[in-house]
């Protein structure tokens, strides 16, 4: 191992780029004035209210300016700490900044010319800081600040400086959240409509009584010399989808009459004075976005807007049983709540500061001495703008359409400015979960940004010791060492599916650092022992998901994940890194792999144990041994079938089904896939419209690590996989199971790959289309046929 460390130091000194220069290209970078990247200070300053307070706060900023004519283009660069919503002449133009960290602080570049006109114009920006109650995923310099930088000379009239006006809002305060299970998405809102400056975003609003602003520091791009503040980088993911939504139905109404057609159609709901009313609304599917509640009158009335994925069987906070998600009768609503205090005004619209997640919304209204009119409730979606580019059709099997729809919805709701584990409870990007989410992206979209953004944020999360954090961005550090290994494997997946070697080459020093972090924990027998932090495995009966180890700290799961990572890293090093390091990684993984059987094989059970105490056995370790080629050929197939049927083992739940399905395909048992969807079938029967985190009772009803069938319908059933870096060569090995007619299309960097199969009397007719310049092979029942670019029909 000493040799590996020496080589690591030498290689890092040779090819490690200057850290300040590592950033992804912004999605709007073509709009940005190149002078803003020259390393000098920007003309604009970060500003704050003269009345700013540390911690939680919501602030309104305004700047009015004159234009002699409507411009064809007027580009501004905008950012804030923590978050902002920017309006131009009353129109919402930008929400941000995209989540990052203090060394990579995102700014958005927006052309606002479409909202400008001759004469007086106003930019109005709402900035909020959640303080200690902000979502864990939002990082901060612990200051509430705004930056607007005009792109060129004409636009610099709007640069943030002392001429901006500011008002500290008294309308918002944080509300405590009580839900069943770990929650990390920040406080909700208490909103006092009487303290809100209605119309403040409009040009004709009088801000003469507002306070002024202080200049904190001039802004600077990441890489500027001796700069310790917000190190700016252009936003490297697109803006979120923002589409109007309406809820589907009223499930229950108490103390009020709800007009027919509501909420699918706008309708007024009148609630008399001194009355309590409750309305339970159903969106029919889980969603994410910004609810908008419009109301009139009702001074001092309280409107509680509560959000839930589903209703619970009881109010015991330790019992997560939700039963059938379609059912509401006799069940208990437990969810987070925004509370509005009405001011008696006309057509007031409340929208929360941060987006919400819901299938069900409960409105609880208590009026005072005036009646209240609920004018409307609607919403605007918020999610990453993925566009589905894949198709799958199995004749006579509509159930697969349902699974694809539910899996895709889950994947979408778990992706906003980053991938996320779940939208309701945490909104955190875990590097174990996101490997699966990245592969869903590869197989179903042409999106060029999100996976690279994920990999880069892994680099940004690195701690001085060498490993990534388990989840990032996040202001509460957490370490799961094996998630650093998944991160490296995610990069290898990206290389195989998309190429991009020049970028990945800059990450090799980080990969080497991760691998070297594990080296002190290697014992003389080349087993990893006593890893610190949390060794999360799966939610399959393990305490806190922690995978078991023995009295000496050995874990077969950890050894296997390290072997798989060494294989992935060696592959990348050999192709575009350091061949000596590749050889050392290969030698180590081979030694660990060859010794694995003698350490963990239980001859009496013919499976691998989880550790040397021989008291724990799992599907997980055995399928990883298959994936790492610790066992191969017929032995691997036999092992897979044994562990698939052995219910005494720790079972792969929703998360680790991804790896079980990979092992199923690798061992030639892919025809079993469509008969092993019991988890999805059970969730369908319980009315879930997304895939839950774990088998019931599940905390979260939406976890994208469960959307792996949105990969396997293409990778296993249609059999399409990358056989060379950048998907330059394709291997197609279909596993049709009970299907006789199936077809589908998936995106490829150079176009589309489509496959259509017709099976009759044991004979296969395959119609394959490959992109120009891409070749491959079709493998079916031991026979191999070479495939060329373009369309071809093969009969076997």
């Amino acid at each position: 191992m000493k040799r590996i460390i020496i080589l690591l130091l030498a290689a890092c000194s040779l090819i490690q780029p200057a850290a300040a220069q590592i950033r992804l290209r912004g999605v709007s970078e073509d709009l940005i004035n190149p002078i803003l990247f020259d390393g000098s200070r920007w003309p604009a300053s970060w500003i704050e209210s003269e009345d700013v307070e540390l911690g939680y706060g919501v602030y309104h900023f305004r700047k009015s300016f004159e234009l002699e004519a409507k411009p064809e283009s007027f580009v501004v660069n905008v950012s804030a700490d923590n978050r902002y919503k920017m309006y131009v002449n009353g129109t919402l133009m930008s929400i941000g900044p995209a989540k990052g960290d203090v060394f990579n602080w995102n700014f958005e570049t927006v052309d606002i010319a479409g909202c400008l006109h001759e004469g007086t114009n106003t930019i109005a920006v709402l900035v909020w800081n959640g303080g200690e109650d902000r979502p864990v995923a939002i990082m901060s310099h612990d200051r509430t600040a705004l930056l607007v930088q005009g792109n060129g000379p004409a636009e610099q009239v709007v640069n943030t400086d002392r001429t901006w006006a500011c008002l500290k809002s008294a309308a918002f305060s944080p509300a405590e959240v009580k839900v069943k299970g770990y929650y990390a998405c920040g406080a909700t809102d208490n909103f006092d409509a009487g303290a809100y400056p209605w119309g403040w975003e409009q040009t004709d609003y009088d801000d003469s009584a507002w306070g002024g602003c202080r200049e904190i520091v001039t802004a600077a791009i990441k890489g500027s010399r001796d700069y310790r503040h917000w190190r700016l980088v252009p936003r490297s993911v697109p803006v979120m989808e923002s589409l109007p939504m309406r809820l589907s139905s009223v499930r229950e109404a108490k103390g009020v009459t709800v007009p027919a057609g509501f909420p699918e159609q706008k309708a007024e709901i009148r609630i008399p004075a001194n009355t309590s009313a409750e309305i339970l609304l159903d969106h029919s599917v889980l969603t994410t976005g910004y609810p908008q509640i419009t109301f009139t009158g009702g001074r001092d009335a309280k409107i509680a807007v509560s959000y839930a994925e589903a209703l619970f069987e009881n109010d015991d906070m330790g019992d997560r049983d939700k039963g059938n998600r379609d059912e509401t009768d006799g069940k208990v609503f437990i969810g987070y709540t925004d509370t509005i205090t009405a001011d008696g005004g006309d057509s007031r619209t409340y929208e929360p500061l941060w987006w919400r997640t819901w299938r069900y919304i409960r409105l609880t209204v208590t009026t005072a001495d005036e009646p209240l009119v609920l004018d409307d409730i609607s919403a605007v979606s918020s999610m990453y703008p993925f566009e589905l580019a894949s198709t799958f059709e199995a004749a006579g099997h509509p159930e697969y359409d349902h699974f694809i729809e539910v899996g895709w919805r889950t994947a979408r709701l778990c992706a906003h400015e980053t991938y996320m584990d779940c939208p309701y409870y945490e909104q955190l990007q875990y590097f174990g979960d996101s490997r699966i989410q990245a592969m869903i992206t590869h197989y179903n979209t042409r999106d060029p940004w999100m996976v690279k953004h994920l990999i880069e944020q892994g680099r940004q999360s690195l701690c001085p010791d060498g490993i990534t954090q388990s989840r990032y961005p996040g202001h509460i550090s957490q370490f799961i060492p094996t998630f650093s290994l998944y991160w490296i494997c995610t990069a290898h997946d990206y290389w195989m599916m998309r190429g991009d070697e020049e970028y990945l080459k800059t990450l090799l020093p980080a990969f080497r650092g991760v691998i070297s972090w594990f080296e002190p924990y290697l014992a003389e027998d080349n087993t990893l022992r006593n890893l610190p932090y949390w060794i999360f495995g799966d939610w399959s009966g393990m305490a806190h998901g922690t995978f078991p180890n023995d009295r000496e700290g050995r874990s077969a799961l950890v050894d296997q994940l390290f072997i798989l990572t060494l294989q992935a890293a060696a592959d990348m090093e050999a192709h575009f890194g350091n061949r000596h390091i590749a050889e050392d990684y290969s030698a180590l993984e081979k030694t660990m792999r060859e010794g694995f059987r003698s350490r963990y094989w239980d001859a009496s059970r013919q499976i691998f144990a989880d550790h040397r105490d021989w008291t724990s056995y799992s599907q997980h370790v055995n399928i990883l041994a298959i994936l790492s080629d610790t066992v191969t050929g017929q032995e691997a197939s036999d092992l897979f079938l044994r562990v698939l049927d052995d219910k005494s083992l720790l079972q792969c739940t929703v998360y680790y089904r991804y790896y079980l399905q990979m092992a199923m395909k690798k061992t030639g048992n892919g025809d079993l896939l469509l008969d092993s969807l019991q988890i999805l079938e059970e969730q369908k029967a319980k009315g879930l419209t997304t895939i839950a985190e774990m088998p019931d009772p599940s905390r979260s009803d939406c976890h994208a690590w469960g959307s792996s069938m949105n990969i396997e319908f293409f990778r296993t059933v249609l059999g399409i996989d990358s056989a060379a870096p950048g998907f330059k060569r394709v291997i197609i090995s279909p596993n049709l199971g009970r299907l006789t007619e199936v077809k589908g299309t998936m995106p490829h960097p150079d176009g589309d790959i489509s496959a259509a199969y017709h099976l009759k009397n044991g004979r296969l007719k395959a119609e394959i289309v490959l992109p120009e310049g891409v070749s491959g092979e079709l493998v079916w029942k031991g026979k191999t046929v070479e495939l060329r670019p373009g369309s071809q029909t093969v009969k076997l």
Side-chain angles (χ1 to χ4, degrees):
M1 289 306 300
K2 291 182 178 179
R3 184 184 173 203
I4 289 181
I5 294 173
I6 292 170
L7 286 170
L8 287 176
L9 294 173
C12 288
S13 65
L14 287 173
I15 70 169
Q16 171 70 64
Q21 300 306 313
I22 296 173
R23 67 168 181 82
L24 301 186
R25 180 174 174 80
V27 293
S28 300
E29 191 154 328
D30 290 342
L31 291 176
I32 304 172
N33 190 335
I35 199 171
L36 298 179
F37 292 105
D38 70 2
S40 59
R41 300 293 190 266
W42 289 9
S45 293
W46 285 91
I47 60 172
E48 64 185 4
S49 169
E50 290 179 340
D51 301 322
V52 72
E53 298 178 4
L54 292 176
Y56 182 93
V58 180
Y59 298 81
H60 304 269
F61 292 86
R62 280 173 54 92
K63 171 72 174 184
S64 294
F65 58 101
E66 301 293 324
L67 291 175
E68 294 182 357
K70 178 180 175 63
E72 292 185 5
S73 176
F74 199 99
V75 176
V76 297
N77 304 286
V78 58
S79 190
D81 189 348
N82 299 165
R83 301 283 301 185
Y84 74 84
K85 295 181 180 180
M86 182 180 73
Y87 301 83
V88 178
N89 292 335
T91 299
L92 179 63
M93 288 296 291
S94 183
I95 296 177
K99 288 185 286 190
D101 61 32
V102 296
F103 300 102
N104 301 273
W105 197 269
N106 287 290
F107 67 91
E108 282 72 36
T109 300
V110 188
D111 190 343
I112 63 173
C115 291
L116 299 177
H117 51 247
E118 179 185 345
T120 303
N121 295 266
T122 300
I123 295 180
V125 188
L126 181 71
V127 177
W128 62 271
N129 186 329
E132 293 182 355
D133 295 313
R134 70 184 184 273
V136 171
I138 292 182
M139 305 184 79
S140 175
H141 269 286
D142 296 321
R143 299 189 76 159
T144 308
L146 170 67
L147 172 70
V148 178
Q149 170 65 60
N151 206 44
E155 293 101 333
Q156 294 197 28
V157 65
V158 302
N159 286 0
T160 40
D161 56 22
R162 294 188 188 91
T163 65
W164 280 63
C166 185
L167 174 71
K168 185 180 188 301
S169 178
F172 290 92
S173 61
E176 184 181 4
V177 170
K178 291 183 179 180
V179 294
K180 293 190 180 187
Y182 174 63
Y183 177 83
C185 301
T188 50
D189 300 339
N190 288 317
F191 177 73
D192 183 355
Y196 190 76
W198 297 102
W200 71 279
E201 69 275 26
Q202 303 295 331
T203 303
D204 59 0
Y205 182 86
D206 182 7
D207 61 14
S208 60
W210 285 22
C213 295
R214 282 194 297 262
E215 296 178 6
I216 301 171
V217 64
T218 52
I221 201 75
K222 178 182 178 180
S224 297
R225 180 174 59 86
D226 295 337
Y227 193 79
R228 62 182 179 86
H229 300 277
W230 297 270
R231 296 165 174 88
L232 291 165
V233 295
R235 180 185 181 118
S236 59
V237 293
V239 299
M240 299 300 97
E241 174 187 289
S242 183
L243 298 174
M245 298 191 296
R246 297 204 67 85
L247 283 87
S248 297
S249 63
V250 176
R251 298 298 296 271
E252 186 177 34
K254 299 178 181 177
V256 66
T257 300
V258 178
F262 180 85
E264 287 187 305
Q265 302 171 11
K266 181 179 179 180
E268 291 184 352
I269 301 175
R270 298 182 176 274
I271 303 169
N274 301 306
T275 298
S276 293
E278 183 177 300
I279 306 171
L280 179 63
L281 302 173
D282 186 355
H283 191 69
S284 77
V285 297
L286 198 69
T287 193
T288 55
Y290 291 91
Q292 296 176 334
I293 317 298
T294 302
F295 52 95
T296 293
R299 181 183 298 276
D300 296 328
K302 300 290 185 183
I303 308 169
V305 188
S306 302
Y307 314 90
E309 294 181 311
L311 276 63
F312 291 87
E313 295 289 355
N314 59 67
D315 59 5
D316 180 349
M317 295 302 285
D319 185 350
R320 299 175 180 173
D321 188 8
K322 302 173 189 175
N324 190 303
R325 275 47 166 195
D326 291 329
E327 296 172 357
T328 60
D329 291 348
K331 298 175 78 172
V332 179
F333 192 110
I334 297 175
Y336 53 67
T337 300
D338 294 312
T339 301
I340 306 163
T341 302
D343 67 338
D346 293 335
S347 299
R348 304 304 202 198
T349 296
Y350 162 78
E351 178 181 282
L353 295 171
W354 190 239
W355 55 268
R356 306 295 187 223
T357 303
W358 73 92
R359 173 177 171 177
Y360 294 99
I361 292 181
R362 184 184 66 186
L363 299 175
T364 306
V365 181
T366 304
T367 56
D369 294 334
E370 293 184 6
L372 177 83
V373 177
L374 283 174
D375 298 306
D376 197 19
I377 175 170
S378 59
V380 175
S381 66
S382 181
M383 61 192 75
Y384 191 89
F386 282 131
E387 294 182 8
L388 186 64
S390 62
T391 64
F392 182 88
E393 183 180 339
H397 292 277
E399 67 272 22
Y400 301 144
D401 297 337
H402 171 82
F403 294 148
I404 288 174
E405 176 188 345
V406 167
W408 180 242
R409 180 181 299 116
T410 305
R412 291 215 62 199
L413 299 185
C414 292
H416 283 233
E417 293 163 354
T418 66
Y419 292 115
M420 304 177 303
D421 61 329
C422 59
Y424 189 91
Y425 287 92
E426 296 188 51
Q427 300 173 7
L428 289 164
Q429 180 172 254
Y430 284 87
F431 296 119
D433 309 39
S434 57
R435 182 187 185 190
I436 302 169
Q437 293 171 277
M439 193 60 81
I440 294 166
T441 302
H442 290 316
Y443 267 89
N444 293 276
T445 83
R446 302 187 193 282
D447 182 80
W449 297 294
M450 192 62 152
V451 177
K452 194 169 182 177
H453 185 64
L454 156 71
I455 296 169
E456 184 63 24
Q457 288 190 313
R459 185 210 310 258
Q460 293 166 8
S461 81
L462 287 165
C463 72
D465 290 348
I467 57 170
T468 66
Q469 296 185 43
S470 66
R471 59 193 191 190
Y472 205 77
H475 65 83
I476 299 176
S477 296
Q478 183 194 76
F479 296 96
I480 302 175
T482 51
F483 278 25
S484 295
L485 302 178
Y486 292 124
W487 174 63
I488 294 175
C489 293
T490 302
H492 186 270
D493 296 341
Y494 176 64
W495 175 49
M496 292 298 293
M497 299 297 289
R498 294 294 181 263
D500 206 357
E501 289 184 2
E502 287 304 309
Y503 168 67
L504 290 171
K505 191 180 295 184
T506 72
L507 286 157
L508 291 177
F511 300 158
R512 296 165 189 157
V514 168
I515 290 170
S516 68
W517 180 89
F518 284 82
E519 188 270 339
Y521 301 100
L522 275 172
E524 291 184 2
D525 64 352
N526 286 312
T527 59
L528 288 162
R529 302 193 189 188
N530 296 310
L531 292 186
Y533 306 117
W534 184 19
I535 309 302
F536 177 81
D538 189 7
W539 296 121
S540 52
M542 312 169 197
H544 308 292
T546 301
F547 207 81
N549 57 14
D550 62 24
R551 287 166 289 183
E552 296 184 12
R554 285 175 294 220
S555 166
L557 180 97
V558 171
D559 283 355
Q560 278 296 329
L561 288 174
F562 193 55
I563 290 168
L564 284 162
T565 303
L566 288 169
Q567 292 171 345
D571 197 14
M572 290 186 285
E573 291 283 2
H575 280 82
F576 53 84
N578 187 309
R579 66 179 178 85
H580 300 294
I581 295 177
E583 291 168 359
D584 279 324
Y585 287 170
S586 295
L588 177 57
E589 71 86 9
K590 181 181 179 183
T591 299
M592 292 184 69
R593 186 161 38 87
E594 290 177 347
F596 190 84
R597 183 185 299 271
S598 64
R599 288 187 289 274
Y600 298 112
W601 183 254
D602 186 328
S604 64
R605 298 190 61 171
Q606 290 292 292
I607 57 175
F608 291 104
D610 291 338
H611 50 64
R612 293 279 296 172
D613 286 348
W614 313 104
T615 57
S616 178
Y617 297 82
S618 68
Q619 290 182 328
H620 307 69
V621 164
N622 288 277
I623 63 176
L624 291 180
I626 291 167
L627 294 177
S628 71
D629 290 328
T630 301
V631 289
T632 59
Q634 187 61 46
E635 182 186 16
S637 178
D638 293 343
L639 174 62
F640 177 82
L641 294 174
R642 279 196 296 275
V643 300
L644 183 67
D645 294 334
D646 190 343
K647 303 308 178 185
S648 71
L649 306 179
L650 289 172
Q651 299 290 296
C652 295
T653 67
V654 178
Y655 173 32
Y656 242 73
R657 295 287 298 181
Y658 175 72
Y659 296 97
L660 185 144
Q661 289 159 180
M662 289 175 68
M664 181 182 292
K665 179 177 185 291
K666 183 168 183 173
T667 56
N669 292 297
D671 284 337
L672 300 177
L673 177 66
L674 297 178
D675 292 321
S676 64
L677 305 182
Q678 291 84 0
I679 289 177
L680 296 181
E681 290 164 353
E682 290 168 3
Q683 293 194 6
K684 178 184 178 182
K686 289 188 174 184
L688 277 100
T689 62
T690 48
I691 300 173
E693 177 180 13
M694 62 183 77
D696 268 348
S698 177
R699 175 192 58 152
S700 165
D701 274 2
C702 185
H703 246 67
W705 67 14
S707 294
S708 57
M709 280 304 297
N710 290 66
I711 303 166
E712 302 310 333
F713 278 118
F714 303 94
R715 185 166 64 182
T716 298
V717 179
L718 296 180
I720 304 170
D721 205 352
S722 173
F727 223 153
K728 294 300 183 184
R729 186 168 172 82
V730 179
I731 182 168
I732 300 182
S733 53
N735 298 272
L736 305 185
R738 71 176 88 113
L739 302 180
T740 59
E741 192 169 337
V742 61
K743 61 182 179 180
T745 302
M746 65 162 288
H748 182 279
D750 296 321
D752 288 312
I753 298 174
S754 67
Y757 305 115
H758 181 74
L759 184 63
K760 185 175 183 180
N761 298 326
R763 297 184 63 82
L764 178 72
K765 177 183 177 182
E767 299 175 69
I768 308 294
V769 181
L770 300 184
E772 188 67 29
V774 177
S775 59
E777 60 186 27
L778 172 67
V779 180
W780 173 257
K781 305 299 183 184
K783 297 180 180 179
T784 301
V785 176
E786 190 69 17
L787 299 174
R788 64 182 187 280
S791 178
Q792 55 232 280
T793 299
V794 178
K795 296 181 179 180
L796 294 170

